[in-house]
Amino acid sequence: TAALSLAEQGFEVYLVEKERELGGMARRIHYTLEGMDVQAYLADITSKVYQNTSIHKITGATITEASGYVGNFVTKVESEGRTREIHHGITIIATGADEYKPTEYLYGKDDRVLTLLELEEKIARGDEKVANAQNVVMIQCVGCRQQDRNYCARICCSQAVKNALKLKELNPERDVYIIYRDIRTYGIREDYYREAADKEVKFIRYEPEDNPQVEVIEQGGKRILRVTATDFIMGKKIALDTDLLALAAAVIPSATSDKVSSLFKVPLSPDGFFKEAHVKLRPVDTTVDGVFLCGTAHYPKHISEAVSQA
């Protein structure tokens, strides 16, 4: 979005992408809570970027060196075995973020346990396992709001509600449970939370010192996936046998953040995301003149927020 906007204003842009194709995390997202078709939007904007002759696309790229100052930056980029030197006036850091790969709740040990992002991909593909699942449980705040990663990933509650509504739309008889610490569907997303509750998505609150427990029980020759949680309101433990368990895995800083931070001398926040110059007055500037940032490289945010910032 930033590249296209600048190119349409007459600037020459070098779009340096570490992956083989453009789009980042948006390639794995299919719809938003408001109903936007993310893949159609992404295809449209990618096509415009490829057609714009003012944007030089470098994919599968690694930045090896960066120097200079506003109006006179020099960056060395390696791609497909060759290194090129780019002279540019400003730099925009839009390196995105990563999805935390859980080590808890049997993730990686049982194929019925997946992340919310993986669940969305399966829903969009019409995966048979999802279509046949009569019980789906989601656990929130996996990998964040804890001692070593003490921040809220902001988007997970909306993501859970979005997938719950989609599952109910496909099969209204299905049981969907969301086990949460606090529901943070801020702004008008609160309406979707209410809609999910009206459609009998069941919300169960847990305390951080009493996390849900997940185990596989052998019963009648079947391996049953069981989630046990203490219902904070009823004050007693409940056991849920589920066909699928989806984890709201945290949004974590990109693996390249430390390297990009040292190359462009841009500080990171205590959480490891890129730090803006001033949260209210200069939200897209960094403390380095001529270096700007947008998207989830800054902090976890929804697509609409990332686009607005870009």
Side-chain angles (χ1 to χ4, degrees):
T1 300
L4 198 56
S5 172
L6 287 166
E8 285 171 352
Q9 291 173 62
F11 293 98
E12 197 173 355
V13 181
Y14 288 86
L15 183 52
V16 179
E17 168 62 59
K18 68 180 175 190
E19 302 294 341
R20 289 280 162 205
E21 53 185 309
L22 305 178
M25 193 62 84
R27 295 207 311 271
R28 298 182 62 191
I29 300 169
H30 296 267
Y31 43 86
T32 64
L33 200 45
E34 298 80 13
M36 165 188 168
D37 183 338
V38 180
Q39 292 308 305
Y41 177 84
L42 184 60
D44 177 57
I45 202 165
T46 306
S47 152
K48 285 176 181 166
V49 165
Y50 276 112
Q51 285 166 22
N52 196 308
T53 52
S54 297
I55 304 175
H56 306 278
K57 284 70 64 178
I58 307 169
T59 54
T62 309
I63 295 174
T64 55
E65 219 175 291
S67 60
Y69 47 87
V70 60
N72 190 23
F73 286 108
V74 180
T75 301
K76 284 186 180 171
V77 178
E78 202 175 88
S79 173
E80 293 175 353
R82 59 187 268 258
T83 301
R84 62 196 292 180
E85 197 172 83
I86 301 168
H87 293 256
H88 53 111
I90 67 159
T91 303
I92 297 175
I93 294 171
T95 49
D98 292 338
E99 178 193 32
Y100 167 66
K101 286 295 172 203
T103 54
E104 49 270 80
Y105 302 123
L106 300 184
Y107 182 85
K109 298 184 179 77
D110 192 303
D111 63 2
R112 292 168 291 183
V113 183
L114 58 169
T115 65
L116 282 180
L117 206 50
E118 290 164 352
L119 174 64
E120 180 173 335
E121 289 180 286
K122 285 181 184 293
I123 293 171
R125 281 205 313 265
D127 185 274
E128 199 179 330
K129 259 188 190 168
V130 174
N132 296 335
Q134 280 306 308
N135 296 285
V136 180
V137 174
M138 302 177 191
I139 300 176
Q140 301 303 106
C141 298
V142 178
C144 62
R145 297 183 73 204
Q146 58 195 36
Q147 208 164 0
D148 61 335
R149 205 175 283 117
N150 192 21
Y151 60 86
C152 167
R154 289 183 80 245
I155 63 172
C156 321
C157 288
S158 302
Q159 179 87 348
V161 168
K162 175 184 84 172
N163 284 327
L165 284 170
K166 188 61 85 172
L167 287 167
K168 279 290 196 180
E169 181 191 310
L170 295 169
N171 179 1
E173 301 305 308
R174 196 190 321 248
D175 287 321
V176 181
Y177 299 86
I178 297 178
I179 304 175
Y180 71 98
R181 273 176 61 183
D182 304 282
I183 288 291
R184 298 186 174 188
T185 48
Y186 54 89
I188 61 165
R189 291 182 181 90
E190 178 89 12
D191 295 342
Y192 296 100
Y193 163 62
R194 292 182 196 285
E195 186 189 334
D198 288 343
K199 289 186 173 167
E200 296 188 359
V201 172
K202 296 169 187 73
F203 292 87
I204 300 166
R205 181 163 172 250
Y206 75 94
E207 287 288 312
E209 61 277 2
D210 188 10
N211 284 341
Q213 301 300 311
V214 179
E215 57 190 334
V216 174
I217 308 286
E218 296 280 351
Q219 204 169 296
K222 288 183 177 176
R223 296 176 74 253
I224 294 168
L225 187 62
R226 181 168 292 169
V227 182
T228 310
T230 303
D231 188 313
F232 181 73
I233 295 165
M234 293 195 295
K236 64 178 186 181
K237 282 199 182 293
I238 54 170
L240 304 167
D241 291 349
T242 184
D243 300 315
L244 285 176
L245 172 62
L247 308 178
V251 179
I252 60 172
S254 165
T256 60
S257 291
D258 286 337
K259 187 185 177 188
V260 175
S261 165
S262 62
L263 282 168
F264 291 99
K265 315 291 186 290
V266 177
L268 299 173
S269 72
D271 297 327
F273 293 96
F274 288 95
K275 197 166 166 50
E276 73 286 299
H278 190 288
V279 70
K280 291 278 196 288
L281 306 177
R282 296 172 67 200
V284 298
D285 298 59
T286 65
T287 51
V288 180
D289 282 345
V291 180
F292 303 89
L293 54 94
C294 65
T296 50
H298 184 202
Y299 60 77
K301 57 188 63 144
H302 293 282
I303 286 177
S304 54
E305 296 169 316
V307 168
S308 299
Q309 196 182 20

